[in-house]
Amino acid sequence: MSGARFRRLLLALVAGALGLASGGAALALGTAPQTLMNPAGPQGLELYKAMIFDIKGIILLWVILAFLLLYVVVRFSDRSHGKELPPQVEGNRNLEIGWSLALIAGLVIFLVHPVKAEFVFENPPEDPNAVEVKVTGHQFWWEVEYPQYGIKTANEIVIPAGTVVLVKTTATDVIHSLGVPRLGGKNDSMPGRVTKIWWKADQPGVYQGQCMQLCGQSHARMYFRVVAKTRDEFDAWVKAMQNPVVKAEGAAAKGQDVFMQKCAACHTIGGTSAAGTVGPNLTNLGLRTSIGGGIRENTPESLTQWIRDPQSLKPGALMPGAEKPAANGYPATAVTQEEVDALVAFLEGLK
Ligand code: CUA
């Protein structure tokens, strides 16, 4: 084998290996937390079916076109070397009608799934136990309200699995977008408007969501979680949210004092007199799996970092840190490390 030929073969092998590797990576992504490839509800399933149909259709079209092209190149190559013109088909009415109809038919075929998905999205199934949730986007966190139960929380939308959840969404500042890929779809959250979406989680589990509309500096860090529980667990959670118990002893009691002085103007905690509405409602914070608008798991360490320096986790956040002001210039809270420790003990004990 000549050197040049060998190099070409090598190049082809490397290109093939890269293609296989990228295909493998795409498949591996199918198990990632935010994915359309692993639907967990009826809407996610519709989107998944539409996507798979499109992918299969496009592959089929590509194969047909590639073979046609190959056939034409081989069969009709110019053997006269430019001395004869091939037959001219310009203005051939049958051909023009033919490929116009073929195009329209193709478009209609590719529209079947999206139109069906649209109907599924627009028409939630009747469910006497349906749960209503109102979700409001803020830079960069989500306010969550359950009008039926009179409870408010933030950044984690607890729902019962197997039940229709009717979501209304809006925003206070700029346009955000509420998207949970595994449950399907996303919906813009717009100031001054209320838009609707519905979810139904087939199984209990945690479904990662994210703001899907560019909304500012920490748009990409504006996460949330949909936590689907069994109906019994959900009912117990509703009860716990309706009757929050604040047991603050020792360090936590000191933390509660600090909270009332430094934090209560912005945050509400059910069971205390803290009733601020600028920042997220922190009722039963100890029950949540994440903090800081889904940016970290809910651990004392991450909560400590969040209280000390929220900008380090979420640049542009409107919460001031212990030493640094908030992004809008709101002055630092000036809490000492000892006070931060007490605050963490207090907040983590809220459950
Ligand atoms: Cu909110 Cu992007």
Side-chain angles (χ1 to χ4, degrees):
M1 189 184 289
S2 75
R5 222 176 189 187
F6 178 71
R7 274 197 297 278
R8 273 206 299 277
L9 185 69
L10 202 65
L11 205 64
L13 281 175
V14 169
L18 280 177
L20 276 179
S22 61
L27 281 180
L29 279 176
T31 55
Q34 288 198 62
T35 176
L36 288 171
M37 303 299 283
N38 188 11
Q43 302 192 40
L45 188 64
E46 279 311 312
L47 284 182
Y48 175 76
K49 285 195 286 194
M51 180 169 61
I52 294 299
F53 179 83
D54 281 7
I55 291 173
K56 283 181 181 167
I58 289 163
I59 290 174
L60 183 68
L61 271 181
W62 188 88
V63 169
I64 292 172
L65 289 176
F67 272 104
L68 273 179
L69 183 69
L70 202 67
Y71 173 75
V72 169
V73 166
V74 173
R75 173 73 179 75
F76 300 106
S77 67
D78 179 12
R79 294 189 177 81
S80 75
H81 300 287
K83 285 180 202 120
E84 289 166 27
L85 276 180
Q88 300 297 296
V89 293
E90 188 193 340
N92 183 316
R93 186 179 297 170
N94 289 344
L95 264 183
E96 285 184 358
I97 291 174
W99 60 53
S100 298
L101 287 181
L103 257 183
I104 291 168
L107 285 176
V108 169
I109 289 170
F110 277 111
L111 268 178
V112 169
H113 274 91
V115 168
K116 184 169 167 243
E118 194 65 34
F119 277 99
V120 172
F121 273 58
E122 285 299 315
N123 300 296
E126 285 291 323
D127 185 346
N129 299 316
V131 171
E132 292 166 26
V133 188
K134 188 178 175 202
V135 186
T136 306
H138 300 258
Q139 282 173 319
F140 302 95
W141 60 280
W142 301 93
E143 184 182 340
V144 184
E145 193 182 346
Y146 297 75
Q148 289 159 305
Y149 310 116
I151 56 182
K152 279 187 183 175
T153 179
N155 300 318
E156 285 196 8
I157 307 172
V158 179
I159 62 169
T163 303
V164 171
V165 181
L166 303 165
V167 185
K168 286 182 181 168
T169 182
T170 185
T172 54
D173 35 36
V174 296
I175 301 177
H176 303 272
S177 185
L178 192 70
V180 197
R182 289 195 62 202
L183 296 182
K186 62 174 184 140
N187 209 25
D188 278 0
S189 310
M190 293 174 275
R193 275 180 76 172
V194 176
T195 53
K196 291 180 193 169
I197 196 171
W198 65 276
W199 295 326
K200 186 175 167 192
D202 294 333
Q203 299 291 332
V206 177
Y207 304 101
Q208 183 71 42
Q210 185 167 6
C211 179
M212 298 200 170
Q213 182 71 255
L214 183 61
C215 58
Q217 198 175 359
S218 274
H219 152 69
R221 296 168 182 226
M222 189 170 162
Y223 299 110
F224 63 98
R225 291 177 183 183
V226 175
V227 181
K229 296 175 180 282
T230 63
R231 187 75 210 200
D232 287 350
E233 287 169 349
F234 175 77
D235 291 340
W237 176 82
V238 168
K239 257 206 190 105
M241 290 299 290
Q242 285 171 330
N243 307 290
V245 182
V246 177
K247 286 175 291 187
E249 288 149 8
K254 181 170 187 243
Q256 185 172 6
D257 290 343
V258 177
F259 191 92
M260 296 314 293
Q261 285 169 30
K262 307 267 184 166
C263 318
C266 292
H267 296 282
T268 295
I269 292 182
T272 75
S273 59
T277 54
V278 177
N281 185 312
L282 302 178
T283 303
N284 282 341
L285 185 79
L287 292 179
R288 294 183 207 167
T289 63
S290 61
I291 57 119
I295 198 77
R296 281 280 191 284
E297 295 299 314
N298 185 1
T299 64
E301 293 73 32
S302 54
L303 192 55
T304 300
Q305 188 185 349
W306 178 257
I307 295 171
R308 286 200 60 79
D309 189 6
Q311 303 293 321
S312 68
L313 291 170
K314 201 172 257 196
L318 299 183
M319 169 157 152
E323 287 149 30
K324 294 179 196 161
N328 59 354
Y330 196 87
T333 53
V335 285
T336 63
Q337 184 57 50
E338 199 193 346
E339 288 173 327
V340 172
D341 292 343
L343 275 173
V344 170
F346 168 59
L347 291 169
E348 294 290 7
L350 296 171
K351 50 184 160 189

